[in-house]
Amino acid sequence: MEFGTELQQALLSPWGLGLLGLCIGSFLNVVVHRLPLMLEQQWRAESAELLGIENKDEGAPLSLSRPRSRCPHCGHQIRWFENIPLVSWLALRARCSACKAPISARYPLVELFTGVLLAAVGWRFGAAPTTLLWCGFAATLVALAAIDWDTTLLPDSLTLPLLWAGLIAATLGWTLPLPTALWGAVAGYLSLWSVYWLFKLTTGKEGMGRGDFKLLAAMGAWLGWQMLLPILLGASIIGAIVGIAMKLSANLREGRYVPFGPFLAGSGVVVMLAGQQRVLGWIGWN
Ligand SMILES: [Zn+2]
């Protein structure tokens, strides 16, 4: 894994990765918006087939690349120069060029956040090709956090490839020693699986989704079993604070719960950027 050194240094510098992050953030906006709709469409088709009834979905199936993005208000097809990360939103003054309907600030914020995050990954891991793996890990966590926040779903089509990628990267010697990654995945899955069943058997309720097990398993595969407890601690504390704050401000709709995935993902990102030694120091283990 070596290519032209100066070009490599420039592309993998925090600035290079920050620019890459803006573009990836733009793509993540599409994933976060469409993946839940694609899953819903797929579930409807499967249920209809199972029940032997007619599927009322019309038109071509939705995918990440088709149809082209449109303004949800007027259907105006978004042209390439209206789709430049950050710049277009500012140039359009946060409004659709055709109907002037406001465009949510969330789109540029996801782009900016992903840009800053990948720049931080570049700063943390240096200009090595394996830094791109960590960029992929971080970007997938952003998508999962946003989808879970919106829909309380953590799609298998993101968590499972993330888990496999972590195990394969460790096997190829690019990230962690393989046993650290493998036991991280196993313990990550089993720890939340046991909390889930303990909670369910004692209260009869489901305290978290099954996607949370797979997400923590994936983070174990990337960050190692030693980081599971710090990740869980961080996610629980921040999750509890946000949950209480939302209850107090009555922002939480009746019968809905605060998803755990965004806090797991956030905690994982902090652990990745801080590094194992520093994190173990925080919790007094070294
Ligand atoms: Zn419009």
Side-chain angles (χ1 to χ4, degrees):
M1 297 233 299
E2 289 211 4
F3 41 93
T5 44
E6 265 178 42
L7 185 65
Q8 173 181 332
Q9 295 289 328
L11 292 175
L12 297 177
S13 70
W15 285 107
L17 292 174
L19 284 177
L20 177 70
L22 289 178
C23 301
I24 290 181
S26 179
F27 174 66
L28 293 183
N29 277 321
V30 179
V31 174
V32 169
H33 179 68
R34 287 201 185 171
L35 189 56
L37 297 176
M38 285 160 59
L39 289 174
E40 211 177 294
Q41 202 174 44
Q42 187 191 335
W43 292 331
R44 263 205 305 274
E46 285 168 4
S47 312
E49 195 180 309
L50 199 66
L51 296 170
I53 56 175
E54 196 192 341
N55 183 7
K56 295 215 173 68
D57 273 337
E58 280 160 18
L62 197 60
S63 78
L64 289 181
S65 55
R66 249 158 250 283
R68 296 276 310 275
S69 299
R70 285 173 184 279
C71 166
H73 297 277
C74 69
H76 164 70
Q77 189 169 308
I78 294 163
R79 290 160 291 179
W80 68 268
F81 56 87
E82 292 171 333
N83 211 3
I84 301 166
L86 227 48
V87 177
S88 293
W89 188 82
L90 293 171
L92 293 167
R93 297 203 174 79
R95 295 189 178 279
C96 168
S97 64
C99 71
K100 306 294 171 201
I103 307 169
S104 166
R106 180 164 137 166
Y107 298 109
L109 285 177
V110 167
E111 289 160 359
L112 187 63
F113 179 79
T114 312
V116 171
L117 179 60
L118 295 207
V121 170
W123 162 79
R124 158 80 172 82
F125 292 97
T130 47
T131 302
L132 288 173
L133 296 176
W134 291 105
C135 289
F137 173 64
T140 311
L141 289 183
V142 173
L144 282 165
I147 292 174
D148 199 22
W149 184 262
D150 286 351
T151 65
T152 65
L153 286 174
L154 288 167
D156 281 353
S157 50
L158 292 179
T159 51
L160 296 182
L162 189 64
L163 168 61
W164 286 115
L167 292 176
I168 291 167
T171 308
L172 293 172
W174 291 342
T175 49
L176 305 170
L178 181 59
T180 308
L182 183 64
W183 291 119
V186 172
Y189 191 90
L190 287 183
S191 56
L192 287 186
W193 178 87
S194 11
V195 172
Y196 171 88
W197 281 107
L198 207 67
F199 193 75
K200 190 164 181 172
L201 293 175
T202 49
T203 66
K205 289 187 216 158
E206 296 195 359
M208 69 180 89
R210 283 148 201 266
D212 293 317
F213 317 163
K214 296 168 203 164
L215 174 57
L216 192 60
M219 291 204 287
W222 281 89
L223 301 167
W225 63 266
Q226 300 91 332
M227 293 298 101
L228 292 172
L229 192 62
I231 289 172
L232 278 173
L233 276 174
S236 309
I237 294 168
I238 300 169
I241 294 172
V242 171
I244 292 167
M246 286 180 74
K247 266 225 159 92
L248 290 178
S249 65
N251 247 335
L252 197 59
R253 276 170 277 162
E254 199 59 41
R256 285 212 44 191
Y257 60 95
V258 181
F260 196 38
F263 305 106
L264 281 177
S267 215
V269 164
V270 171
V271 164
M272 171 190 72
L273 291 177
Q276 211 177 85
Q277 289 312 311
R278 201 167 297 150
V279 172
L280 289 178
W282 288 342
I283 59 168
W285 274 6
N286 73 350

